[in-house]
Amino acid sequence: MSSKSHFVIGFCFVILFGNAASIDYGIALTKSLLYFEAQRSGKLPPNQRVQWRGDSALNDGKDAGIDLTGGYYDAGDNVKFGFPMAFTVTMLAWSVVEFGEKLEAKKELTNALNAIKWGTDYFIKAHTQPHGLYGEVGDGNSDHQCWERPEDMTTPRNSYKVDEQHPGSDLVGETAAAFAAAAIAFNKSDWSYSSQLLIHAKELFDFAKKFQGQYQTSISVAGQFYGSTGYEDELLWAATWLLKATQDKTYLDYINDQATSSGGTRSMFSWDDKYVGAQVLIAKNLLENKFPGNESSLNQYKKNAEEFICNCIQKGNNSIKKTNGGLLWWQPWNNLQYVTAATFVIINYADTLFASKNSLQCATGTVESSNLITFVKSQVDYILGENPKKMSYMVGFGTNYPQKIHHRGASIVSIKKDRATVSCNEGFSLWFYKNAANPNVLDGAIVGGPDLSDNYNDSRSNFQQAEAATANTAPLVGVLARLTE
């Protein structure tokens, strides 16, 4: 048999039995939205699907004389950090804005909107006055001294806010972006709620712009956990979403004014750095000819967005590192958060390139939209099991996935099965150090992921690799919706 025949047979085998046939993106999509129900704080609703969770943190806000129940726990602990929570909601909303029809076709649109609303309902409570926003409930340091189910929590639940005297433009700007993006997501199904969200978005953008400062200066307890490197990106990000939601020229003027400092070519897109998101939104509008007369001043945003994408797909001047197994690589701690965020902007931009009959010009040549989608699939398939370890880094997906993820609620027997209180230190002795799989499966959670050598240590104490976070899964919701058939 000729070598050419070998190639043809091998190629056919891959088509029949390889990546495309073995991964069900629809199942992964369903699980990704289930994950947010497991992260809920507050009084759980009647339609709660994740049954091993119970009501928790029902007194949040009492120290300030207000109701701050609800919202999300950020990761494997029991603190409500407003900064990454707002980014999570913005990305869930962006998923609905871009891929709502795909979500509806898979009967997941309602679940996606519910996930957004669980966050925005909390933000409405937290936005107590035009220039005031609560940005954290609980304290990371005291929380991390205990290993407790959220239902048993005994750690302090202090409420922390920003206001005119104690600003936080990054936190406030990101929350404004979340409100504006969610307003668009709800525009068809609940116009009244959408209008309410938009009012909050406008007030918060005004607050963030007029009273500038980094939020961890005002909420110091957030600094070591979710410290912000700056707020200019959040202001731009919020303005971009508000422009999309309102078509008000005021926001376009702001974006134009910032064009000379458009963020440059970023190395990542994340809960801390929103420049890529804003640049991609602006670039998409330019491709769709939505900025007549402003093209020249806004082209720098498009150039930076496209350079980031080129670097991700290994065709730029400063390509992002990859593991030998082919996964994009940024850092040892929670690397997959950057992968999911990057795949979202790439596949989103690919669709706009295709619709506008454009291609991407990278340093090493022209790239078609189909090439971008193929690249995104390679990253998603790696996450879902097509990797050297043959392990899915989405919990509950496939047959081989992390069993001992760093997550208090998942690692302790459900309060529905055993109502005996697990105290602060008991949690460590009884559950954290237990050499057994978590009793509750945290479906849809994306863990931190493998190291640069494609290895993964499945251990609760390995928080760099084994802890999941809402910011990891949120961008993947949209990507999975787009990839479903």
Side-chain angles (χ1 to χ4, degrees), residues 370-436:
S370 57
N371 304 127
L372 295 179
I373 292 166
T374 298
F375 175 81
V376 168
K377 280 187 174 181
S378 76
Q379 298 301 297
V380 175
D381 290 354
Y382 183 110
I383 292 171
L384 296 179
E386 292 291 343
N387 55 61
K389 293 282 285 184
K390 298 299 176 192
M391 172 178 271
S392 165
Y393 294 107
M394 174 183 279
V395 178
F397 184 84
T399 56
N400 182 27
Y401 52 82
Q403 301 291 316
K404 303 172 189 173
I405 70 165
H406 181 97
H407 189 278
R408 286 158 178 74
S411 70
I412 301 173
V413 65
S414 169
I415 198 164
K416 305 280 187 68
K417 289 189 175 180
D418 186 348
R419 301 201 68 84
T421 299
V422 178
S423 68
C424 172
N425 292 322
E426 273 185 326
F428 285 108
S429 57
L430 295 177
W431 297 101
F432 181 81
Y433 295 114
K434 191 174 185 178
N435 188 23

Side-chain angles (χ1 to χ4, degrees), residues 338-355:
Y338 307 111
V339 180
T340 60
T343 59
F344 183 95
V345 294
I346 294 170
I347 204 163
N348 190 350
Y349 201 58
D351 285 349
T352 304
L353 284 172
F354 180 79

Side-chain angles (χ1 to χ4, degrees), residues 32-40 72 88 92 115 470 473-474 477:
S32 71
L33 286 163
L34 271 174
Y35 167 62
F36 293 97
E37 296 192 19
Q39 293 300 112
R40 283 171 169 169
Y72 290 108
T88 294
L92 286 171
T470 60
T473 297
V477 169

Side-chain angles (χ1 to χ4, degrees), residues 420-478:
T421 299
V422 178
S423 68
C424 172
N425 292 322
E426 273 185 326
F428 285 108
S429 57
L430 295 177
W431 297 101
F432 181 81
Y433 295 114
K434 191 174 185 178
N435 188 23
N438 287 351
N440 309 304
V441 178
L442 192 65
D443 278 316
I446 301 293
V447 295
D451 62 20
L452 184 55
S453 302
D454 299 293
N455 292 318
Y456 181 82
N457 176 22
D458 189 14
S459 166
R460 273 176 220 104
S461 59
N462 180 19
F463 51 84
Q464 288 197 341
Q465 288 185 296
E467 187 169 17
T470 60
N472 300 15
T473 297
L476 200 60
V477 169

Side-chain angles (χ1 to χ4, degrees), residues 17-55:
F17 303 105
N19 299 9
S22 61
I23 291 180
D24 189 326
Y25 300 121
I27 291 174
L29 172 63
T30 296
K31 288 183 179 291
S32 71
L33 286 163
L34 271 174
Y35 167 62
F36 293 97
E37 296 192 19
Q39 293 300 112
R40 283 171 169 169
S41 180
K43 177 78 176 169
L44 300 181
N47 62 353
Q48 171 81 10
R49 295 177 295 166
V50 178
Q51 284 297 305
W52 54 265
R53 280 296 322 283
D55 299 340

Side-chain angles (χ1 to χ4, degrees), residues 55 93 98 142 170 183 242 329 363 424 432:
D55 299 340
E98 299 292 349
S142 59
D170 26 31
L242 275 159
W329 177 260
C424 172
F432 181 81

